[in-house]
């Protein structure tokens, strides 16, 4: 309906259903000519550019011999006529490594730096509706213009790839809408949420409905937004089923933005779980009051056939593989994974360490602040995530530590793989 968030993919959903875009590669294989490429993909796996492993250039921000080709993409698409007047967001799940985006000849926004993060542009005033086509043009630079991004993400013990590696889609919402929600649901049944509106609305309220896995309403209330752009929601669910890796019980929260007359302007839905994570000093980690021993594995987003570009099925396959080995935890090494992987961890049951990219070197603060925001606001509501990792093995920017709490309503502990900090000794 008109009050629901709608999504239209411009690419495929993953490596199994890529959509052909126009493409031009500036160097390496099949360079110097306009042709076609499947999106999303790593362009090396589609026959373009240069395969290169990061360790050869370890510690060098701009070395000689580095594969620094660019990929230029074009794609034409239509948007439904009924979307006219809505807020239109153009969303990239990830592009490696710098992405410059134009829509209908106009810049969508600033160049995005960082290869594993969701970024979005409000293009409401730049797009056409109905029969008039829109042209999307994207230039992706395999090497970043920012040397610290290269040091954090590309001078590492893994393959370097280029391309629009995860899906691209358009999101349409009513002009007055819920921008995002952040949930904290604890083992005692207390449900708290910050519901952020895209603008303040006089007399607005947010109606929150909690639904169990059978579709039964277990709690609901209305919260006054107090003429602000945020509504702070609190309600209680009596004796909820708790989320753990062994029993991954999930609920759905439905948020309805109401105007001063009670008319529904917009609806958003979010899956979540009731659970409490505690770090007890000199003791251990407790989930819902029970001490847990984590037995897990580091996991790259990778397939030899498709590189970093995966699919929902392949992400589920990895979660099932980890669980089949009697493990209960996974570390996302060394960057945030696909949302579908986290969805599978939520529904199938794995404890997750979600990691900011950084491999022996860290992102500088000004870029890192943006990447922490993008990672945490995308992933905050996944009950499977128990810790944030601020980089890897010395790739730590301690100035970024407060940024995690800024965006995380749950205030999860920030840990440092291969270091002793915040009460957690993590050296292997």
């Amino acid at each position: 309906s008109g009050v629901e968030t709608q999504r239209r993919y411009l690419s495929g959903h993953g490596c199994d259903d890529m959509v052909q875009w126009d493409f031009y590669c500036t160097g390496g294989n099949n360079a110097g000519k306009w042709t076609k490429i499947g999106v999303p993909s790593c362009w090396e796996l589609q026959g373009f550019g240069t395969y290169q492993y990061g360790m050869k250039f370890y510690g060098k921000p701009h070395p000689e011999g580095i594969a620094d080709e660019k990929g230029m993409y074009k794609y034409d698409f239509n948007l439904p006529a009924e979307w006219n007047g809505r807020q239109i967001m153009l969303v990239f799940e990830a592009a490696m490594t710098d992405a410059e985006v134009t829509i209908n000849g106009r810049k969508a926004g600033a160049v995005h730096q960082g290869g594993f993060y969701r970024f979005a542009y409000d293009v409401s005033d730049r797009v056409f509706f109905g029969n008039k086509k829109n042209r999307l043009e994207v230039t992706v630079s395999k090497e970043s213009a920012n040397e610290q991004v290269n040091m954090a993400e590309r001078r590492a013990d893994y393959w370097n790839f280029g391309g629009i590696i995860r899906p691209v889609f358009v999101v349409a919402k009513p002009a007055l809408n819920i921008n995002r929600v952040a949930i904290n649901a604890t083992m005692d049944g207390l449900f708290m949420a910050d519901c952020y509106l895209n603008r303040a609305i006089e007399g607005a309220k947010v109606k929150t409905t909690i639904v169990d896995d059978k579709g039964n309403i277990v709690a609901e209330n209305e919260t006054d937004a107090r003429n602000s752009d945020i509504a702070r929601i609190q309600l209680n669910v009596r004796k909820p089923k708790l989320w753990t890796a062994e029993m991954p019980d999930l609920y759905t929260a439905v948020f309805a933005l109401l105007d001063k007359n009670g008319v529904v302007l917009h609806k958003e839905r979010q899956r979540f779980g009731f659970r409490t994570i505690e770090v007890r000093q000199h003791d251990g980690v407790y989930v819902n009051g029970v001490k847990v021993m984590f037995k897990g594995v580091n996991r790259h987003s990778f397939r030899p056939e498709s590189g970093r570009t995966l699919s929902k099925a392949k992400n589920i396959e990895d979660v099932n593989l980890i669980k089949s080995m009697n493990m209960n935890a996974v570390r996302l090494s060394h960057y945030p994974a696909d949302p579908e992987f986290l969805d599978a961890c939520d529904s199938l049951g794995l404890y997750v360490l979600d990691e900011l990219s950084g491999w022996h070197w860290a992102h500088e603060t000004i870029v890192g602040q943006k990447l922490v925001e993008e990672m945490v606001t995308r992933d905050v509501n996944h009950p499977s995530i128990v810790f944030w990792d601020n980089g890897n093995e010395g790739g730590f920017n301690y100035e970024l530590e407060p940024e995690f709490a800024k965006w995380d309503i749950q205030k999860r502990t920030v840990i440092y793989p291969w270091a002793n900090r915040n009460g957690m000794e993590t050296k292997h």
Side-chain angles (χ1 to χ4, degrees):
S1 69
V3 300
E4 301 279 354
T5 298
Q6 293 180 275
R7 178 184 293 195
R8 173 165 292 195
Y9 280 82
L10 306 182
S11 71
H13 297 75
C15 62
D16 296 340
D17 65 347
M18 296 180 292
V19 171
Q20 296 295 305
W21 289 22
D22 294 321
F23 183 67
Y24 182 102
C25 190
T26 63
N29 294 319
N30 290 309
K33 58 185 178 183
W34 280 100
T35 181
K36 297 286 187 179
I37 193 172
V39 179
S41 68
C42 301
W43 63 54
E44 295 83 358
L45 278 301
Q46 303 302 309
F48 298 96
T50 303
Y51 280 99
Q52 204 163 68
Y53 202 82
M55 278 297 287
K56 178 181 178 182
F57 307 95
Y58 182 83
K60 301 173 184 177
H62 296 297
E64 290 186 12
I66 198 74
D68 62 352
E69 68 264 15
K70 297 176 189 254
M72 292 180 282
Y73 297 80
K74 293 180 183 178
Y75 187 68
D76 293 339
F77 64 95
N78 294 88
L79 294 176
E82 60 268 24
W83 283 11
N84 194 2
R86 300 186 186 184
Q87 184 185 43
I88 307 297
M89 301 297 295
L90 175 62
V91 184
F92 292 78
E93 282 290 3
M96 299 182 73
T97 300
D98 288 1
E100 183 177 358
V101 182
T102 64
I103 183 76
N104 295 324
R106 300 173 64 188
K107 284 186 178 181
V111 173
H112 185 270
Q113 296 181 327
F116 301 96
Y117 300 86
R118 176 188 288 175
F119 58 98
Y121 302 105
D122 188 334
V123 295
S124 306
D125 63 344
R126 289 163 166 75
V127 292
F128 307 116
F129 303 92
N131 294 326
K132 192 169 184 180
K133 285 192 177 296
N134 298 279
R135 168 153 289 192
L136 174 61
E137 297 174 273
V138 186
T139 298
V140 177
S141 300
K142 187 169 174 176
E143 285 284 297
S144 178
N146 185 311
E147 65 179 38
Q148 281 301 115
V149 173
N150 291 331
M151 295 290 280
E153 295 188 1
R154 306 192 67 77
R155 308 296 181 256
D157 193 11
Y158 47 71
W159 288 100
N160 290 333
F161 294 110
I164 300 174
I165 66 168
R166 292 178 183 165
V168 183
F169 53 90
V170 175
V171 172
K173 296 182 179 182
L176 300 175
N177 62 63
I178 297 168
N179 179 32
R180 65 180 181 91
V181 295
I183 293 172
N184 184 19
T186 53
M187 59 182 285
D188 57 0
L190 178 61
F191 175 92
M192 295 176 288
D194 288 340
C195 185
Y196 296 89
L197 312 184
N198 71 329
R199 67 190 70 180
I201 306 167
E202 183 181 357
K205 294 183 178 181
V206 175
K207 181 178 180 180
T208 306
T209 305
I210 308 299
V211 181
D212 66 16
D213 60 352
K214 295 182 174 58
N216 301 313
I217 295 174
V218 297
E220 60 183 343
N221 74 357
E222 288 187 9
T223 303
D224 193 337
R226 300 184 183 278
N227 298 331
S228 172
D229 61 355
I230 181 173
R232 298 193 181 278
I233 296 156
Q234 183 171 317
L235 52 80
N236 288 279
V237 173
R238 187 172 176 272
K239 294 183 178 179
K241 294 180 179 179
L242 302 184
W243 189 95
T244 67
E246 290 75 29
M247 297 291 289
D249 287 297
L250 294 171
Y251 290 78
T252 299
V254 182
F255 301 92
L257 175 62
L258 313 177
D259 69 11
K260 61 184 178 181
N261 298 315
V263 175
V264 177
L265 301 175
H266 180 219
K267 277 187 177 181
E268 279 283 10
R269 303 167 194 275
Q270 180 66 60
R271 295 181 84 191
F272 71 96
F274 287 94
R275 59 102 179 94
T276 297
I277 310 297
E278 295 176 83
V279 177
R280 298 185 184 177
Q281 295 291 312
H282 310 293
D283 185 358
V285 181
Y286 286 72
V287 179
N288 303 328
V290 178
K291 190 173 183 177
V292 171
M293 179 174 288
F294 293 91
K295 297 183 178 182
V297 66
N298 297 320
R299 183 258 189 183
H300 269 293
S301 298
F302 185 81
R303 284 292 191 284
E305 302 86 359
S306 59
R308 300 262 178 260
T309 303
L310 302 178
S311 64
K312 182 176 180 178
K314 287 179 171 55
N315 279 294
I316 292 172
E317 182 181 287
D318 279 1
V319 173
N320 281 326
L321 176 62
I322 294 168
K323 288 184 70 68
S324 75
M325 293 186 283
N326 246 4
M327 295 179 181
N328 66 355
V330 60
R331 174 179 168 217
L332 308 185
S333 53
H334 300 283
Y335 40 80
D338 302 84
E340 291 87 355
F341 183 79
L342 293 170
D343 290 341
C345 291
D346 290 344
S347 60
L348 298 175
L350 277 180
Y351 299 116
V352 176
L353 284 67
D354 200 354
E355 189 156 300
L356 183 73
S357 54
W359 199 86
H360 295 195
W361 285 272
H363 287 287
E364 63 181 344
T365 300
I366 193 166
V367 173
Q369 287 174 325
K370 181 65 175 173
L371 299 181
V372 171
E373 177 187 354
E374 290 170 348
M375 179 175 80
V376 177
T377 55
R378 190 198 75 168
D379 296 346
V380 64
N381 296 322
H382 289 283
S384 56
I385 296 172
V386 294
F387 298 116
W388 307 112
D389 296 354
N390 187 8
N392 163 63
E393 293 194 6
F396 309 140
N397 180 347
Y398 296 110
E399 291 182 357
L400 297 178
E401 186 171 313
E403 299 297 313
F404 290 86
K406 181 188 297 185
W407 304 106
D408 181 16
I409 187 175
Q410 298 179 27
K411 304 295 186 284
R412 296 169 177 90
T413 299
V414 178
I415 68 174
Y416 292 79
W418 223 29
N420 188 345
R421 187 176 172 92
N422 295 336
M424 299 291 288
E425 167 60 82
T426 65
K427 192 166 185 176
H428 296 327

